[in-house]
Amino acid sequence: MSARYTVRLSDDDREALRLFVSRGTAPARAIARARVLLKTDADGPAWDDARVAEALDLCAATVQRVRKRFVTGGLDAAVERKRPDRVYARALGGRGEAELTRLACSTPPEGRARWTLRLLADRMAALGHEVSHETVRQTLKKTRSDLISTSSG
C-alpha cells in the first residue's frame, strides 16, 4: 500500500460505509468504491492494492484512484461519482433559437404537410446558422409545445 495515500477511516465513516454496502441500493461502482475504502483502511484490514483489486475484481489503478480521492477530497468524493466539469458552448444563441422557433411555426415548404428536423436544419443553414438536425431537435424540445408535430397529444 502506498504511504502517500493512506486511508484512515473514523469509526463513524467505517460504520456508514458498512451500512452503505449492506443496503445494496446504490450504484454498483459506488458500492465497489466503498468496499475499497473498507479493505484499505489502515486501522482495519489494511489490504494492499493488488489484493483488493483481485478480491473485488477491479483494476489496481482504480483502487489507487479511490484511495487518492479519499485522502484529497474526503469520503463523499471517494464514493460518489464526480460530476463532469466541462461546459459546452450553445450551438444557437437567443436570436438563433427565436429564428428557429419562428421558422418551425411558419407554414411548411410546398409539398410538405409539416416541417421535419432535417428540413429545419437545412433552412437554418440557408439563413446562415450551421446547425444539425439534432441541435434543432434539442432546441425545439425545450419549448412547451411540439412545434413540428401535427397533433398535440
Side-chain angles (χ1 to χ4, degrees), residues 4 17-18 22 28 30 35 55 64 66 75 86 91 93 98 106 108 112 117 121 125 129 134 143 145 147:
R4 185 171 179 194
L17 286 173
R18 283 188 184 130
S22 67
R35 286 186 173 140
Q64 292 171 357
V66 170
L75 184 63
R86 61 188 179 265
S106 68
R112 297 287 186 150
L117 296 176
H129 301 281
E134 178 62 15
T143 61
S145 63
L147 299 174

Side-chain angles (χ1 to χ4, degrees), residues 65-144:
R65 276 192 306 271
V66 170
R67 283 190 303 102
K68 179 179 179 179
R69 285 178 59 187
F70 174 76
V71 171
T72 59
L75 184 63
D76 289 338
V79 175
E80 298 301 322
R81 177 178 172 251
K82 178 182 175 271
R83 303 300 305 167
D85 54 357
R86 61 188 179 265
V87 178
Y88 293 101
R90 293 174 58 167
L92 283 176
R95 287 190 178 179
E97 286 184 14
E99 203 166 342
L100 176 61
T101 303
R102 179 193 55 76
L103 184 62
C105 290
S106 68
T107 57
E110 193 171 320
R112 297 287 186 150
R114 62 183 178 165
W115 285 100
T116 65
L117 296 176
R118 293 183 192 274
L119 279 174
L120 286 169
D122 292 343
R123 185 64 56 95
M124 289 295 288
L127 295 173
H129 301 281
E130 290 298 322
V131 294
S132 68
H133 68 280
E134 178 62 15
T135 300
V136 170
R137 183 193 70 80
Q138 290 177 3
T139 303
L140 293 178
K141 185 178 177 182
K142 288 192 262 181
T143 61
R144 291 207 178 270

